[in-house]
Amino acid sequence: MAGIKNADGKSVLLKMAAAIQENKAYLSEVDGLIGDGDHGVNMNKGFTMFAERIQDDTLTFTEGLDTLGTLLFTEIGGSMGPIYGTLFMDMAGAGGDSDVIDTGTLAAMLRAGLDGLYDVVEARPGDKTLVDTLVPALEALEDAKDKGMDFTAALECMKAAAAEGRDATVDMVAKYGRSSRLGERSRGVLDAGAASCCILLTAMAEGMQVLAEN
Amino acid sequence: MQRIINDPDHIVDEMLKGYLKAHSDIVAPTGNPRVVMRADMPGDKVGLVTGGGSGHKPGFIGYVGQNMCDAVAVGEIFSSPTAAAFLDAFRAVNCGKGVACLYGNYSGDNMNVKMAIKMAKKEGIDVKTVVANDDVPSAPKDEREKRRGVAGEILMWKAAGAKAAQGASLDDVIAIAQKAIDSTRSVGIGITPCTLPAVGHPNFEIKDGTMEVGIGHHGEPGIEVCPLEPAAQIAKRMVDIVLPDYPFTAGDEVVVLVSGLGATPVMELYVLYDEIDNLLGARGIKTHRAYVGNYFTSLDMMGATLTVMKLDSELKALIDEPCYAMGLKQI
């Protein structure tokens, strides 16, 4: 199949939540190196609440994303609330009532999410934030779409680009967010937001690949 | 980690329950469980709102009370409150004269406050902000706008709270809050790390026998790690960072606030304060009023912060006004 049915997408969202739960300690550890060490705790809290809340609901991928974004935005706070809240809500808005989510739809959703994010944060590529994971992942997806790549292969490219983007934050000096005050001392470690963004995009891609292959 | 807790993920909500019971003469709950307001909110003044992450007790919530803040938005430990909580706090204390939101300079707070203000505007609530940036080591002087807000926020709330209680306009309250924080400088020294209860172990390291100069209120790394020194040398380091930055000079009258970071015994804070006062005195700086104790903490971190505020006649009168909040009771 060239994509997934939007109606089947709940399993993808649960996979994203599970990935955050599994990586709670890892994310807090990464955050603790140059931040305050609460990233894993707060991400876990938000995604666990989300998974519990949608447990018995029938919802599409885009409906679920909107629920997730709203929950993070209104109930979790931190930096993560407005950042991921905006990203997911705007992605859901762009996906809308699509029956099928294919490479083009997903790219358009991520592009809308990034645009929304840029309204909220000043961070741009190179600033050692989750933008450094998101932008290459999105560009890889758009590139795959232009090349007419198969959905599963396109998601594979997106995953690889997300991981590369995340790893590139090691050598960057933080220019935005809490670690930006460290200047040179922020160099040499991953950015926690870039790490969580990579976990989420990877889990999303893998969840979609499972659906697309069945 | 040995703690008096139940489920660490519920610590903030459980703390709030106890706090509201213990201090019902000062604070009251609101429709939003993460917003606490004054029990005796007057109906005809500029509302004073602050907010921030938990774990700084009496930080934030303890400064809600008479002649101080009117409402506080409460976040998770070391994490900004939601935009919804800031908005509900604005709503709770808006009497039609507008709301002054006086908070620290953290990216999460900045984003959530910005979004809450956008939503408040749609409802016709006039909100203006002052962002505290008293922590000297957190950025160079020419980038003061990047500095964190730390214990100096208490003095900002004290001055602005007194001004608002006098019936001042929103613009006048904002002006005095800005002047208060512009006149204030802080520095922190950490000697042990702190542990988030839900994490269970420290997320950063301060090696035994060392101290981190310029540490942030969440353990953000400072400017220098050096061997732990006697209180006299620690005091000198702190004074040498704070004084030249403003700069505070001979003849100045100041408020001095020495706060523990949570786990340092209060008696040690007085040892530190004595050394600080000696150093200020030697430079001809006169301490008009001193606060020593756990005023703004970082969970179980050991260490202390020094905050110095330069007084003019206006700030002096406002700082001397009485106030009644859990974290600051002044007759």
Side-chain angles (χ1 to χ4, degrees), chain B residues 245-268:
Chain B
D245 192 83
Y246 180 69
F248 300 91
T249 51
D252 284 353
E253 255 191 303
V254 297
V255 176
V256 178
L257 188 161
V258 172
S259 177
L261 284 174
T264 284
V266 173
M267 70 182 293
E268 294 176 20

Side-chain angles (χ1 to χ4, degrees), chain A residues 24 28 32 36-38 41-42 45 73-79 82-83 86 119-121 177-178 181-182 185, chain B residues 9 76-80 82 84 105-108 111-112 114-115 138 146 148 196 198-199 203 212 218 220-222:
Chain A
K24 173 185 170 186
S28 281
D36 55 15
D38 66 357
V41 176
N42 290 331
K45 187 162 185 171
F73 184 69
T74 56
E75 296 179 51
I76 295 301
S79 301
I83 289 174
T86 302
D119 279 342
V120 184
V121 302
R178 192 161 283 169
R181 289 157 176 123
L182 301 179
R185 276 182 72 177
Chain B
D9 283 340
E76 288 298 311
I77 293 184
F78 290 1
S79 182
S80 169
T82 62
N105 194 13
Y106 297 90
S107 53
M111 276 186 275
N112 286 299
K114 191 169 146 189
M115 291 182 144
S138 56
K146 288 189 180 173
R148 299 181 287 251
L196 276 77
V199 175
N203 271 85
E212 183 136 355
H218 313 88
E220 296 94 332

Side-chain angles (χ1 to χ4, degrees), chain B residues 169-232:
Chain B
S169 69
L170 178 58
D171 284 339
D172 287 347
V173 171
I174 288 291
I176 202 72
Q178 190 66 57
K179 180 170 159 183
I181 206 67
D182 285 345
S183 310
T184 302
R185 296 291 185 276
S186 298
V187 63
I189 289 197
I191 60 175
T192 66
C194 58
T195 297
L196 276 77
V199 175
H201 57 83
N203 271 85
F204 60 99
E205 196 187 20
I206 300 174
K207 286 202 176 73
D208 259 6
T210 68
M211 61 182 193
E212 183 136 355
V213 181
I215 198 161
H217 261 152
H218 313 88
E220 296 94 332
I223 44 176
E224 195 185 345
V225 176
C226 52
L228 182 60
E229 297 167 337

